[in-house]
């Protein structure tokens, strides 16, 4: 994209309404704009980040066998009356009526809808297990929407749902999701720690929250230093053998980790290598057995022909919240520092003298080489303003082209995360970025 022709409205000043770094930086870097309380428009650069995160989340879901699908945002109240949650959900649910007076709602989550879809088509133990997911907008009429996209009213969630014949099967599905989540967060460039959690209005007995460490996080977290060294990239996801999943699950959940609500001082006192920090919840997984299947009449024919109620789980990731959470974890005074995996552009090309034939030609050559994956700052503006905006927007690499270097075919390559700068030919710079 050419910056002169893009809607990436950066701001020099800190917006008064933003209290935390990620909210300030998302507005200043031109990623989002609020259109109503807790509701945001994703401008072009923000939309790219959101899609990059969604793609990684989806790839890791599919890697453990979850199937991608898409359910609508608008749901019929009838399904929620069947599960008993229509009245229980309370004022967080946005309730609507159509022109015929039929009750609808904007989905805050999709347990009922998918239970209904499975109830229509899955009739036998042979059709199980099933894990399905979608990435879809949700609405929750939060009492206090705040911190930008971190606690919005409309937000993008990945929600997966598992259906198994029995408890043992459901545990295997739950562990697959644990594996997918640990790999997802690592690919996103953040440390997420699984913590035993309360199940809240989703219900059920087995639940973990995934907390990203960031100094401005909402909750205080206490954890074993063992979590600092875990590496999940090598975990095999091809086979998902139950024994491997069990070993993995035990390895990632047996160390101490808790937020202040569940913190247990006597147990904590025995942890040899204590770490404390602040955390942001970016995911939450639940096993809840037959809580929805039973009232909604989902049954399948079991192996012996008797009717069996499947055991279910649901698994959420706050995809739009992650944009804010990643920024909380990766920024400095000057702006955002995007992990390579989610950056809106691989690199920015800074033309320090637009109109200079040498600068223009070298920048165009660089821009063409990226095939759309770079942002070209071709604005007729001061060098200082371009440097500031490049740091603010957080592109992993900056290719700086000035008139003197351009004559010799040289550029300055800067790595945003470290500040390291190198004088290189354009070809060498491109090779280094890869
Ligand atoms: N049905 C289950 C799992 S699919 C569920 O809804 N879980 S949840 O309530 O914990 O939400 C899943 C994730 O969505 C949370 O971990 C959080 O990261 C994100 N989330 C929840 N509420 C908001 C909100 N108001 N704004 C942004 N993200 C949110």
């Amino acid at each position: 994209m050419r910056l002169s022709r893009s809607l990436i409205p950066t701001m020099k000043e800190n917006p008064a309404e933003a209290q935390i770094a990620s909210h300030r930086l998302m507005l200043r870097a031109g990623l989002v704009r609020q259109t109503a309380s807790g509701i945001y428009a994703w401008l072009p650069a923000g939309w790219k980040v959101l899609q990059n995160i969604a793609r990684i989340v989806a790839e890791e879901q599919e890697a453990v066998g979850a199937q991608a699908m898409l359910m609508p945002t608008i749901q019929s109240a009838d399904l929620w009356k069947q599960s008993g949650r229509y009245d229980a959900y309370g004022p967080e649910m946005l309730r609507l009526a159509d022109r015929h007076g039929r009750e609808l709602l904007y989905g805050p989550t999709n347990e009922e809808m998918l239970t209904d879809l499975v109830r229509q088509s899955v009739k036998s133990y042979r059709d199980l297990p099933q894990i399905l997911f979608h990435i879809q907008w949700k609405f929750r009429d939060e009492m206090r929407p705040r911190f930008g996209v971190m606690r919005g009213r409309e937000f993008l969630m990945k929600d997966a749902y598992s259906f198994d014949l029995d408890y043992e099967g459901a545990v295997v599905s739950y562990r697959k999701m644990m594996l997918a989540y640990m790999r997802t967060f690592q690919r996103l460039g953040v440390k997420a720690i699984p913590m035993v959690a309360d199940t809240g209005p989703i219900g059920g007995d087995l639940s973990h929250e995934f907390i990203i460490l960031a100094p401005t996080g909402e909750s205080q977290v206490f954890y074993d230093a063992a979590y600092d060294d875990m590496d999940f990239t090598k975990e095999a996801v091809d086979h998902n053998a139950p024994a491997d999943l069990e070993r993995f699950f035990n390895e990632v959940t047996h160390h101490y980790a808790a937020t202040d609500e569940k913190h247990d001082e006597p147990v904590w006192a025995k942890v040899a290598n204590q770490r404390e920090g602040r955390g942001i919840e970016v995911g939450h997984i639940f096993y809840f057995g037959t809580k929805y299947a039973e009232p909604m009449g989902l049954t399948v024919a079991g192996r012996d022909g008797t009717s069996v109620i499947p055991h279910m789980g649901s698994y959420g990731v706050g995809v739009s919240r992650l944009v804010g959470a990643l920024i909380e974890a990766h920024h400095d005074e000057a702006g955002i520092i995007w992990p390579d995996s989610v950056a809106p552009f691989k690199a920015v090309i800074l033309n320090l003298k637009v109109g200079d034939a040498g600068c223009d030609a070298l920048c165009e050559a660089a821009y063409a080489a990226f095939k759309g994956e770079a942002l070209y700052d071709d604005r007729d503006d001061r060098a200082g303003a371009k440097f500031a905006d490049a740091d603010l927007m957080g592109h992993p690499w900056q290719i700086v082209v000035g008139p003197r270097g351009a004559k010799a075919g040289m550029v300055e390559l800067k790595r945003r995360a470290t500040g390291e700068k190198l004088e290189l030919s354009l070809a060498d710079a491109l090779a280094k970025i890869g």
Side-chain angles (χ1 to χ4, degrees):
M1 257 202 261
R2 288 169 197 271
L3 194 46
S4 66
R5 311 266 198 84
S6 307
L7 187 65
I8 306 182
T10 57
M11 297 155 64
K12 278 200 203 66
E13 306 301 329
N14 276 327
E17 73 264 32
Q19 298 151 29
I20 63 169
S22 59
H23 188 194
R24 276 197 297 274
L25 290 171
M26 287 183 73
L27 293 170
R28 285 193 53 210
L31 302 181
V32 291
R33 288 293 182 263
Q34 182 171 280
T35 60
S37 170
I39 303 179
Y40 288 83
W42 294 79
L43 301 184
W47 175 233
K48 280 180 184 288
V49 176
L50 193 63
Q51 285 177 295
N52 290 343
I53 295 174
R55 182 178 23 81
I56 290 173
V57 169
E59 282 172 10
E60 293 300 333
Q61 291 291 297
E62 292 188 312
V64 295
Q67 307 157 71
M69 66 178 297
L70 184 60
M71 287 178 273
T73 54
I74 303 291
Q75 305 188 23
S76 156
D78 290 344
L79 287 177
W80 288 67
K81 289 181 178 165
Q82 290 173 30
S83 74
R85 274 209 292 186
Y86 190 63
D87 294 325
Y89 215 91
E92 270 199 10
M93 181 185 278
L94 181 63
R95 294 158 206 259
L96 314 159
D98 69 12
R99 62 167 72 194
H100 306 293
R102 290 190 201 103
E103 291 172 297
L104 300 170
L105 56 100
Y106 195 119
T109 178
N110 285 64
E111 280 83 359
E112 282 80 356
M113 188 177 279
L114 194 57
T115 302
D116 176 48
L117 292 167
V118 167
R119 167 175 75 177
Q120 292 174 35
S121 331
V122 169
K123 301 290 179 195
S124 153
Y125 71 93
R126 273 176 263 122
D127 303 326
L128 297 179
Q130 294 277 348
I131 309 180
L132 297 132
F133 77 97
H134 72 162
I135 296 179
Q136 177 61 290
W137 296 93
K138 304 291 187 288
F139 195 94
R140 293 182 186 174
D141 202 350
E142 299 275 352
M143 178 78 103
R144 283 184 62 211
R146 62 193 175 133
F147 302 152
V149 301
M150 292 270 231
R151 184 170 301 284
R153 293 199 297 166
E154 189 187 47
F155 59 97
L156 190 60
M157 193 200 286
K158 184 286 296 178
D159 37 327
Y161 303 87
S162 65
F163 298 81
D164 283 272
L165 198 58
D166 50 24
Y167 173 78
E168 288 69 29
V171 167
V172 173
S173 294
Y174 189 91
R175 290 173 179 159
K176 285 183 181 176
M177 283 290 149
M178 174 67 73
L179 172 58
Y181 276 46
M182 297 315 283
R183 288 177 50 89
T184 300
F185 296 124
Q186 182 162 346
R187 278 183 68 189
L188 294 173
V190 282
K191 175 162 300 298
I193 303 177
M195 304 192 185
V196 173
D198 289 329
T199 50
I202 308 292
D205 334 308
L206 177 58
S207 175
H208 284 86
E209 282 176 354
F210 295 80
I211 309 281
I212 277 185
L213 296 175
T216 47
E218 276 194 281
S219 33
Q220 181 72 13
V221 301
F222 304 84
Y223 67 99
D224 190 310
Y227 284 108
D228 284 339
D229 309 317
M230 288 186 184
D231 179 2
F232 308 107
T233 49
K234 291 179 221 66
E235 286 299 329
V237 291
D238 310 336
H239 307 301
N240 287 314
D244 292 338
L245 287 165
E246 184 175 3
R247 176 191 50 72
F248 171 80
F249 185 84
N250 291 338
E251 187 189 314
V252 297
T253 57
H254 89 270
H255 302 291
Y256 187 88
T259 55
D260 25 14
E261 294 144 32
K262 290 229 146 191
H263 185 46
D264 184 335
E265 270 300 334
V267 182
W268 176 238
K270 297 196 195 98
V271 174
N273 295 308
Q274 297 178 341
R275 291 279 186 281
E276 280 187 49
R278 306 288 302 175
I280 302 166
E281 181 204 315
V282 291
H284 202 157
I285 62 177
F286 307 83
Y287 160 74
F288 48 74
T290 60
K291 181 178 152 89
Y292 298 96
E294 195 172 338
M296 293 187 69
L298 166 61
T299 58
V300 297
R303 283 194 190 87
D304 58 1
T306 59
S307 126
V308 177
I309 305 174
H311 286 237
M312 294 174 57
S314 72
Y315 313 89
V317 170
V319 177
S320 50
R321 174 178 291 185
L322 267 165
V323 180
L326 294 189
I327 295 173
E328 288 298 330
H330 297 289
H331 71 275
D332 63 14
E333 284 298 297
I336 300 168
I337 305 172
W338 286 120
D340 295 272
S341 58
V342 302
F345 300 96
K346 261 187 170 178
V348 64
I349 299 154
L350 305 185
N351 187 339
L352 298 190
K353 197 161 187 195
V354 174
D356 174 275
C359 284
D360 291 354
L362 200 56
C363 285
E364 290 292 343
Y367 183 52
F370 280 102
K371 299 191 173 69
E373 290 186 311
L375 180 66
Y376 176 17
D377 190 347
D378 61 340
R379 295 172 302 175
D380 191 5
D381 205 342
R382 291 179 303 110
K386 294 193 178 194
F387 290 133
D389 271 353
D391 281 352
L392 171 63
M393 289 189 268
H395 316 288
W397 299 95
Q398 299 173 13
I399 296 176
V400 183
V401 180
R404 206 148 16 94
K407 274 202 194 95
M410 300 294 280
V411 303
E412 184 183 81
L413 180 66
K414 175 174 155 182
R415 181 70 171 155
R416 174 68 177 89
T418 60
E420 186 193 358
K421 292 176 184 170
L422 293 170
E423 290 283 324
L424 295 170
S425 69
L426 176 58
D428 288 347
L430 295 175
K432 190 149 170 71
I433 294 171

